[in-house]
Amino acid sequence: DFDREIKVVVLGNGGVGKTSMIRRFCKGIFTDEYKKTIGVDFLEKAQFVDALQEEVRFMLWDTGQYGVLLNCAVGHNVRR
């Protein structure tokens, strides 16, 4: 059980490394193979944070292309 939980939603254009960054942080692995994220992926990691002197749970949401999500969410209500 954790006293602190940090939730992070990672947004950005497709192919920029959102999934690679999250996997590197959570699992310590890196692959240069590109696989498109469809929808949303979720990873978490517990890590001791020296500045807080406690274990923190990081919950990371890996989104598909931000532009696609933004267009779906706001549609034609955005001025261009």
Side-chain angles (χ1 to χ4, degrees):
D1 203 23
F2 295 88
D3 290 334
R4 290 189 200 249
E5 295 179 338
I6 298 175
K7 297 174 182 149
V8 179
V9 177
V10 180
L11 303 171
N13 292 332
V16 297
K18 296 179 300 293
T19 299
S20 295
M21 180 183 66
I22 290 172
R23 285 190 180 160
R24 176 71 178 214
F25 176 73
C26 291
K27 297 182 177 182
I29 58 172
F30 176 80
T31 179
D32 58 359
E33 294 176 11
Y34 177 67
K35 233 179 175 181
K36 189 177 202 176
T37 302
I38 306 296
V40 177
D41 196 9
F42 175 80
L43 290 169
E44 63 181 86
K45 177 181 181 172
Q47 181 167 325
F48 187 81
V49 177
D50 290 331
L52 300 172
Q53 288 297 301
E54 66 181 87
E55 192 93 0
V56 175
R57 180 185 352 205
F58 291 89
M59 294 173 278
L60 294 109
W61 295 83
D62 179 14
T63 65
Q65 278 186 288
Y66 173 64
V68 173
L69 292 174
L70 180 62
N71 285 335
C72 290
V74 295
H76 62 280
N77 293 324
V78 175
R79 283 191 178 178
R80 296 172 195 231

